[in-house]
Amino acid sequence: MLKLPSVCHICHRWPSQPLCAPCVERFAQPTLRCPTCALTLTHASCRNCAQHPSPLDACVAAVSYTFPWAGCIARFKFQADPSLAYALAHLMRHAPWVEPALDEATLVVPMPLSHSRLRERGFNQALELARHLATHKTNAHTLLRRGDSAHQVGAPRHERLEHVRDAFWVSPDRVSAVRSQRVVLVDDVMTTGASMYEAARVLKVAGAVHITGLVLARTEEREAHH
């Protein structure tokens, strides 16, 4: 079914795959990124991590959160189009350093949604991506989320940090599965990193020895704000 022709979500070419090869080649060229926060590097060292050290041991982003990927992610996430998950996960898998991270990991953990977000959306986009990336290593019940946090779109860094403080915990029956393991933490978009950093912190507390953050898209403008 996945090989059936369709319309490219970017250029609308038909017949095509959901993301055609020419669009991927044009808009998803690898770029030099910080190894621990995935921002595109414009200097020899990462100013973001100098001011806000990352709790991640590594961080990889396939693309920047710009045209055309912002639109693809919006369709995937907000317009109930989980069929894009395979194509977007395929894009992630072929980004530099992703295959080794997945191969070396013993556990792949999707960032969890709050109950209200899950009811509103109908599916967890991070879980859909993780399942396509590493089906047999993915566990959706390892990392849990407390309560119903406020929407963070447009919120400054300090507010995002406050919103997610103590928002996550590792399920007690999964602590032994995390302890001494290498974990890949998956999400669709990383903005300031507040949510992923807090999730990484609690996974480290539970005993994870190495955590790689793996995201489809990274928001870039934050480096200029620090």
Side-chain angles (χ1 to χ4, degrees):
M1 182 176 67
L2 293 171
K3 294 183 179 180
L4 291 176
S6 62
V7 175
C8 173
H9 284 263
I10 297 173
C11 70
H12 308 297
R13 181 192 311 248
W14 189 93
S16 176
Q17 294 298 307
L19 300 175
C20 74
C23 282
V24 170
E25 184 174 352
R26 179 181 178 186
F27 296 112
Q29 287 295 316
T31 185
L32 182 63
R33 295 181 179 275
C34 172
T36 51
C37 81
L39 281 174
T40 297
L41 287 177
T42 55
H43 302 83
S45 59
C46 179
R47 294 179 177 180
N48 183 63
C49 285
Q51 296 188 32
H52 309 284
S54 172
L56 297 167
D57 298 288
C59 191
V60 182
V63 295
S64 296
Y65 189 64
T66 55
F67 176 85
W69 305 114
C72 289
I73 292 168
R75 283 192 292 274
F76 168 45
K77 185 160 63 172
F78 299 117
Q79 298 179 22
D81 192 356
S83 65
L84 261 175
Y86 173 80
L88 294 173
H90 184 76
L91 181 70
M92 294 171 73
R93 179 174 278 280
H94 286 82
W97 313 115
V98 172
E99 288 280 7
L102 292 171
D103 289 345
E104 294 169 7
T106 49
L107 180 63
V108 175
V109 177
M111 288 289 290
L113 288 179
S114 67
H115 293 304
S116 66
R117 296 285 183 275
L118 191 57
R119 287 194 302 270
E120 173 186 310
R121 198 165 295 160
F123 70 104
N124 180 350
Q125 71 278 0
L127 174 57
E128 294 301 315
L129 293 172
R131 282 173 171 165
H132 287 293
L133 288 165
T135 303
H136 301 299
K137 293 182 179 182
T138 296
N139 187 279
H141 307 291
T142 298
L143 189 65
L144 305 176
R145 185 164 194 147
R146 303 179 190 275
D148 292 329
S149 60
H151 279 290
Q152 297 197 72
V153 176
R157 182 186 180 88
H158 71 277
E159 288 186 15
R160 286 174 176 259
L161 290 170
E162 188 60 33
H163 289 164
V164 299
R165 192 181 308 279
D166 298 321
F168 305 102
W169 84 101
V170 174
S171 176
D173 62 357
R174 293 290 300 168
V175 171
S176 60
V178 172
R179 188 178 300 119
S180 302
Q181 303 303 309
R182 297 177 69 93
V183 177
V184 169
L185 188 58
V186 175
D187 208 356
D188 60 331
V189 179
M190 182 175 176
T191 306
T192 63
S195 294
M196 183 163 279
Y197 289 179
E198 179 66 9
R201 185 186 69 79
V202 300
L203 287 166
K204 284 285 183 73
V205 170
V209 296
H210 188 282
I211 300 175
T212 297
L214 173 55
V215 298
L216 170 59
R218 181 65 158 104
T219 301
E220 296 291 355
E221 67 269 23
R222 296 292 171 173
E223 188 181 22
H225 292 176
H226 298 312

